[in-house]
Amino acid sequence: MTKLTNGLFFIADGWGATKGGINAFNYDLCIALGKIAERYCCKVFCVCSGTVPHTDKKFAAENNVEIVPVDPDDFENRDFSLLDKHVNSTGSLFWIGHDIITGEHALKCCERFGGKTVLFHHMDYEAYYSAKADGRETKKKIDQQKRIFGHARLMLGVGPKLYESLKDK
């Protein structure tokens, strides 16, 4: 078997649908990419906060996805030193984050290990968040998005409206 030297590292705050839409999206994408990644000498990893049941890890492994659980405090503090053993710096690395939820985590990993960042845009805070929160909180989230998307190598909108919203980021 060919040595796997390329890695897709998805950063999520949970595995599966336990915390909502972004993690459910991430789960489906990891499993789908895992099924084809091996053809390209690639491995899919999901770096996630907290513990993951053995049965979930086993199912992921059967689909060429390795789950790398991170202590929740280390995850929050963006301490990903345990990834040293998973990263082969001679290959291509892609750090995949989800908007303001794990986008900064992906950028931090890219800074530490090299590679490229891919960020998914899941929420247009300008269009929706002001109905939920005050203007200061909305502005804070908008500024955070602009900062993280300004450093991404590739930005992907989840749907046509979010794709259009990325043009302002």
Side-chain angles (χ1 to χ4, degrees):
M1 182 167 148
T2 306
K3 183 178 179 189
L4 299 172
T5 59
N6 304 307
L8 301 173
F9 287 82
F10 287 81
I11 314 294
D13 62 351
W15 177 251
T18 57
K19 292 188 179 181
I22 288 176
N23 289 321
F25 174 86
N26 188 71
Y27 172 89
D28 288 342
L29 187 57
C30 284
I31 296 298
L33 287 174
K35 290 177 181 179
I36 63 168
E38 198 167 20
R39 290 185 227 159
Y40 303 100
C41 298
C42 190
K43 176 89 177 186
V44 176
F45 298 86
C46 184
V47 181
C48 58
S49 178
T51 59
V52 177
H54 175 73
T55 54
D56 288 352
K57 285 183 183 179
K58 184 177 181 221
F59 177 76
E62 290 168 355
N63 288 284
N64 192 35
V65 177
E66 183 175 338
I67 297 176
V68 183
V70 176
D71 178 89
D73 290 335
D74 290 344
F75 191 87
E76 186 64 31
N77 295 321
R78 294 164 183 79
D79 177 3
F80 296 107
S81 55
L82 67 84
L83 293 178
D84 288 337
K85 65 183 178 185
H86 298 283
V87 175
N88 181 345
S89 62
T90 62
S92 297
L93 300 172
F94 293 89
W95 302 98
I96 301 136
H98 298 278
D99 216 307
I100 65 172
I101 307 301
T102 61
E104 290 185 46
H105 296 73
L107 292 170
K108 182 78 170 179
C109 286
C110 187
E111 181 182 299
R112 178 181 174 129
F113 299 107
K116 296 176 174 73
T117 53
V118 178
L119 298 181
F120 282 94
H121 180 38
H122 289 272
M123 175 64 137
D124 183 355
Y125 288 99
E126 288 179 276
Y128 302 107
Y129 204 73
S130 58
K132 180 180 176 182
D134 67 32
R136 287 175 292 174
E137 185 65 25
T138 301
K139 182 175 180 347
K140 180 180 168 188
K141 293 200 180 281
I142 292 167
D143 290 346
Q144 188 179 9
Q145 276 186 322
K146 286 181 179 180
R147 185 178 65 252
I148 64 170
F149 283 108
H151 291 93
R153 172 66 182 217
L154 178 63
M155 301 177 292
L156 302 167
V158 180
K161 288 184 180 185
L162 290 169
Y163 167 78
E164 288 299 319
S165 143
L166 269 176
K167 293 177 182 177
D168 298 329
K169 305 291 180 250

